Amino acid sequence: MKKRAIHWFRSDLRLSDNTALHALEKDLHETAECVAVYVLSDPDEGKWASGAASKWWLYHSLTSLQEDLKELNVPLVILSGVASEVLSRFAQSIKADSLYYNCRYEPWASKQEQAVEKELEKIGVECASFHDGLLIEPANLLNKTGGPYKVFTPFWNACLAHFDRHGIALPKRKFGKSIKGIKFDTIDYSNKSFKQDLDDLHMIPRIKWYEGMQEFWQPGEEGARKRLLHFVNKSITKYDTGRDRPGDSDVSYISPHLHFGEISARQIWHRALEHDCKSARTYLREIGWRDFAHYLLHFFPETPDEPLQKTFESFPWRTDNGSLEKWQQGMTGYPIVDAGMRQLWHLGWMHNRVRMIVASFLAKDLLLPWQRGAEWFWDTLVDADLANNTLGWQWTAGCGADAAPFFRIFNPVLQGEKFDPDGEYVKTWVPELAKLDKKWIHKPFDTPPLELQMAGVVLGENYPKPIVDHSAARQRALQALKSTK
DNA sequence: GTGTCTTTATG
DNA sequence: ATAAAGACA
């Protein structure tokens, strides 16, 4: 009897080194068939359904995947709705016997997986789930007292010890190489009512704010592979110091590819270690932060909304929509902050050093709830990832997993001068300041009038005056912290 | 108990 | 030079 298996693509939009997909391939007999499906499951994801920039990426990533699968004669069927319902209907209508998928680690995803398994069991479809997206499975790693780690370095040391003992699986080749004679002509998809056309799902906005993104990114597995190769060949040996300079391009730009699973963490691990240098290990440590973020989200599923440290529940955050908007628009009057926010709008991406600076500015200088910042990032980042976004924002707000003994308040001027010493980054994204000397470019509000005039800058007219005084704002933030103790 | 760690800032 | 704290082995 013919077997028909479904691979349910989720955040694993690639054909190489895909754990569930390779398990499916292995289980297929020569006469068996396989079908791929993606479910746009906004109802399951609720508040954390993909934002606008992520949807743009997803559309192109799925298009790319569809083309790659076409070469193997495997259709990628797009469904939309509650996953347990649409997958159940789909499996029934094509008479599938099994469903393969890789796990996700978001709180909504575990519920989704349970619901899918329950519905499919009812109709006799066997489900097979796999761990695939992380270097380490969260449940496999606890500290000596049996609890989850809350500090990165001990976590990462324990990971490295684990990798030493068990290794990290070598990446598997591309799916489909070993399957002969697959034919899919027994199902006519053209008249199936459940089938959605990718173009009917409103993933591409009507207003073309994505042109900058389109120029810079190539969503999909091939784009991911190219990015990584370019980084490993050009920049990885400089990463140790280069990663902190947002004006240069010595970072990997791999985050959106990694979020959508167009490349696996294992592939990155092995590729990076072809250069066994300090810089490569620093880079892999950053990949470790990604694992740590997912690990924390697994053990603390309420953290996208609530602070990890309970004392912060009484923190006196302000409400100030005017300031929030100025921050979003990149009109705070602090050049490094504004440059970051404008880069985000243009590319759907921001350099990580600058993410910390703008986040510190929102939470500490403006005293606005970190959740407001996280929501803006969620909508505008192409790499928006619930685990990474949550960890990042909580870390900067001071209520998350950070081992520092002090209340971290970034000084936007010092950060700019330290990490963008020539002002290249600011000049790129805040062109109205491009003629300012690097001595002044991070602090136009302290620049002598003559210098401003020569650079054609009129504060309050073509570049904003600062919306807060950093020194005063810093004192206010320290007072706010004190009030919670 | 002791040592280590921690993407900072101000004076 | 000094501020300030807790997790972890």
Side-chain angles (χ1 to χ4, degrees):
Chain A
M1 192 174 130
K2 247 182 185 183
K3 289 189 81 167
R4 186 168 287 148
I6 301 173
H7 177 77
W8 175 24
F9 275 106
R10 306 173 81 208
S11 52
D12 56 334
L13 306 181
R14 66 179 181 282
L15 300 185
S16 57
D17 195 40
N18 183 321
T19 309
L21 196 55
H22 283 85
L24 179 151
E25 181 174 6
K26 217 172 142 191
D27 293 349
L28 281 178
H29 304 292
E30 244 183 58
T31 54
E33 296 185 345
C34 94
V35 177
V37 61
Y38 184 87
V39 184
L40 190 72
S41 58
D42 284 9
D44 294 345
E45 299 167 34
K47 182 182 175 185
W48 300 112
S50 311
S54 295
K55 281 235 168 70
W56 172 85
W57 187 287
L58 181 59
Y59 173 89
H60 291 290
S61 190
L62 287 172
T63 304
S64 163
L65 181 66
Q66 216 157 26
E67 282 165 17
D68 293 344
L69 281 166
K70 209 174 189 176
E71 286 175 21
L72 302 169
N73 286 326
V74 176
L76 176 65
V77 177
I78 308 292
L79 303 174
S80 167
V82 174
S84 57
E85 292 171 12
V86 297
L87 280 175
S88 166
R89 258 190 293 152
F90 177 65
Q92 232 166 348
S93 87
I94 66 163
K95 299 188 171 60
D97 354 71
S98 54
L99 177 90
Y100 289 70
Y101 68 92
N102 291 309
C103 293
R104 293 187 63 150
Y105 301 89
E106 291 88 347
W108 60 261
S110 328
K111 289 181 191 139
Q112 182 186 57
E113 288 161 21
Q114 282 169 22
V116 166
E117 301 239 355
K118 194 177 152 198
E119 285 306 308
L120 293 202
E121 195 188 344
K122 282 186 196 164
I123 56 169
V125 176
E126 209 173 299
C127 291
S129 66
F130 298 85
H131 285 279
D132 174 71
L134 300 176
L135 292 174
I136 202 151
E137 195 186 324
N140 280 353
L141 196 71
L142 297 169
N143 65 29
K144 287 275 149 64
T145 58
Y149 288 95
K150 283 185 280 188
V151 175
F152 176 72
T153 300
F155 165 84
W156 189 233
N157 288 337
C159 285
L160 292 174
H162 186 273
F163 301 153
D164 275 345
R165 282 197 305 275
H166 306 285
I168 291 179
L170 284 168
K172 297 175 201 71
R173 79 225 173 297
K174 197 176 166 187
F175 163 80
K177 289 271 166 69
S178 73
I179 301 180
K180 292 178 199 163
I182 308 180
K183 288 206 176 74
F184 298 97
D185 52 1
T186 52
I187 306 171
D188 180 11
Y189 287 95
S190 60
N191 59 5
K192 295 284 184 192
S193 60
F194 50 74
K195 180 181 169 276
Q196 296 263 7
D197 196 285
L198 208 43
D199 290 311
D200 295 337
L201 293 174
H202 310 291
M203 299 168 81
I204 301 295
R206 205 166 42 81
I207 297 168
K208 294 189 177 177
W209 46 256
Y210 50 79
E211 282 173 330
M213 288 159 40
Q214 200 155 265
E215 217 169 287
F216 189 78
W217 300 104
Q218 184 191 344
E221 191 169 2
E222 189 193 350
R225 192 164 46 239
K226 280 185 188 163
R227 271 286 180 218
L228 184 65
L229 282 177
H230 186 265
F231 169 67
V232 168
N233 291 334
K234 292 266 185 188
S235 302
I236 198 169
T237 54
K238 293 187 272 180
Y239 185 77
D240 226 358
T241 51
R243 68 185 174 130
D244 262 331
R245 318 270 296 220
D248 301 333
S249 296
D250 291 325
V251 293
S252 68
Y253 297 101
I254 211 71
S255 53
H257 299 291
L258 195 47
H259 168 74
F260 287 98
E262 298 165 1
I263 196 162
S264 74
R266 292 178 297 274
Q267 289 171 314
I268 293 173
W269 175 274
H270 290 291
R271 183 68 71 191
L273 280 186
E274 287 171 10
H275 293 255
D276 192 7
C277 60
K278 186 161 178 276
S279 261
R281 295 189 175 274
T282 303
Y283 179 65
L284 290 176
R285 199 178 154 88
E286 297 302 310
I287 300 299
W289 273 96
R290 170 179 176 271
D291 257 63
F292 187 47
H294 288 79
Y295 177 90
L296 288 175
L297 185 58
H298 171 81
F299 286 107
F300 305 100
E302 71 291 348
T303 50
D305 300 303
E306 293 165 27
L308 181 65
Q309 294 178 37
K310 296 296 168 211
T311 54
F312 273 80
E313 281 169 358
S314 63
F315 193 89
W317 301 109
R318 299 187 316 131
T319 305
D320 178 352
N321 290 332
S323 291
L324 179 63
E325 270 178 37
K326 292 217 163 65
W327 177 82
Q328 291 170 339
Q329 294 161 355
M331 296 291 276
T332 67
Y334 285 88
I336 191 84
V337 175
D338 295 339
M341 298 309 291
R342 296 183 197 185
Q343 180 183 37
L344 172 60
W345 188 251
H346 192 81
L347 291 184
W349 181 92
M350 198 193 306
H351 188 281
N352 189 51
R353 165 58 56 184
V354 191
R355 292 190 197 201
M356 295 189 284
I357 299 170
V358 304
S360 175
F361 191 82
L362 181 96
K364 308 287 170 64
D365 286 64
L366 299 179
L367 222 59
L368 296 175
W370 58 271
Q371 290 94 332
R372 297 296 88 73
E375 286 156 12
W376 182 251
F377 272 28
W378 187 258
D379 203 37
T380 52
L381 280 170
V382 289
D383 65 27
D385 180 283
L386 191 59
N388 292 337
N389 203 39
T390 299
L391 178 144
W393 277 97
Q394 292 227 24
W395 183 90
T396 352
C399 56
D402 182 10
F406 38 80
F407 194 49
R408 233 181 257 281
I409 301 174
F410 282 67
N411 181 323
V413 177
L414 294 182
Q415 287 280 317
E417 288 170 348
K418 189 169 177 191
F419 298 113
D420 185 32
D422 298 325
E424 286 305 318
Y425 183 73
V426 167
K427 285 178 184 175
T428 301
W429 298 107
V430 190
E432 58 266 43
L433 300 179
K435 286 186 186 160
L436 267 183
D437 190 88
K438 63 181 180 184
K439 185 175 174 190
W440 305 110
I441 197 159
H442 292 291
K443 43 185 174 188
F445 40 83
D446 284 339
T447 305
L450 188 62
E451 295 277 346
L452 283 178
Q453 200 185 343
M454 280 174 7
V457 177
V458 186
L459 289 184
E461 287 189 23
N462 60 7
Y463 185 73
K465 294 176 181 171
I467 59 171
V468 286
D469 174 71
H470 172 69
S471 179
R474 178 175 190 274
Q475 291 308 316
R476 180 174 69 173
L478 288 169
Q479 281 305 312
L481 179 69
K482 221 176 228 175
S483 76
T484 66
K485 306 218 166 184

